[in-house]
C-alpha cells in the first residue's frame, strides 16, 4: 500500500509539473516574456493561490472551519469587519494580477 501511495504521489507531481510547464509556455508565448520568467510567474501564482486558499478555508465560515449562521451573527462585529477587509484585500490582489496579465498581453512586442 505504501508503494502505491508513492506511485500516486509521483503521478500527481508529474501531472502538476506538466500543467505548470504548459501554462508557463502559453504565458511566454502570449506575453513575449522568456520561458523561465513565465515559469517563475506561474509557480509563484500557484503557490500564492494555495496559501490564499488554505487561509480563506480556515477563516470562520470557510470550508475547514464551518460555522452556523447563528454563530456568524453572534460573532463580534470588529472581528467580522477584519475578516471582510482580509477577503476584500485578497480579491483586490487577484484583480490586480489579472489586470497585469491583460496589460502584458496587449503591450507585447509584435
Amino acid at each position: 500500500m505504501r508503494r502505491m501511495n508513492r506511485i500516486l504521489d509521483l503521478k500527481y507531481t508529474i501531472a502538476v509539473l506538466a500543467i505548470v510547464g504548459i501554462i508557463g509556455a502559453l504565458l511566454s508565448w502570449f506575453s513575449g516574456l522568456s520561458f523561465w520568467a513565465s515559469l517563475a510567474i506561474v509557480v509563484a501564482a500557484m503557490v500564492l493561490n494555495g496559501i490564499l486558499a488554505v487561509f480563506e478555508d480556515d477563516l470562520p465560515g470557510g470550508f475547514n472551519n464551518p460555522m452556523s449562521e447563528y454563530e456568524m451573527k453572534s460573532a463580534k462585529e470588529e472581528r467580522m469587519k477584519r475578516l471582510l477587509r482580509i477577503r476584500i484585500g485578497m480579491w483586490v490582489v487577484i484583480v490586480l494580477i489579472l489586470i497585469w496579465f491583460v496589460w502584458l498581453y496587449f503591450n507585447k512586442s509584435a
Side-chain angles (χ1 to χ4, degrees):
M1 187 68 170
R2 201 165 185 210
R3 183 169 186 231
M4 184 60 94
N5 287 340
R6 286 185 189 173
I7 292 172
L8 287 175
D9 288 343
L10 182 62
K11 286 181 182 179
Y12 290 132
T13 303
I14 291 171
V16 168
L17 290 175
I19 291 169
V20 168
I22 291 169
I23 293 172
L26 288 172
L27 178 62
S28 174
W29 185 62
F30 281 116
S31 68
L33 293 171
S34 73
F35 172 75
W36 296 110
S38 298
L39 190 65
I41 290 170
V42 172
V43 168
M46 289 188 76
V47 168
L48 181 64
N49 182 47
I51 291 170
L52 289 177
V54 169
F55 176 74
E56 188 174 25
D57 286 346
D58 287 341
L59 291 175
F63 185 76
N64 296 335
N65 190 9
M67 292 177 76
S68 68
E69 218 165 295
Y70 174 75
E71 290 171 323
M72 288 290 273
K73 288 179 182 176
S74 66
K76 292 183 180 177
E77 187 175 325
E78 187 62 36
R79 182 174 181 180
M80 296 308 294
K81 287 180 182 179
R82 183 177 63 94
L83 295 176
L84 181 64
R85 285 193 301 262
I86 291 170
R87 288 181 175 166
I88 290 172
M90 288 174 13
W91 281 107
V92 166
V93 168
I94 290 169
V95 168
L96 289 175
I97 290 171
L98 289 174
I99 290 171
W100 180 62
F101 278 128
V102 170
W103 181 83
L104 283 175
Y105 175 75
F106 286 113
N107 290 317
K108 67 179 178 179
S109 307

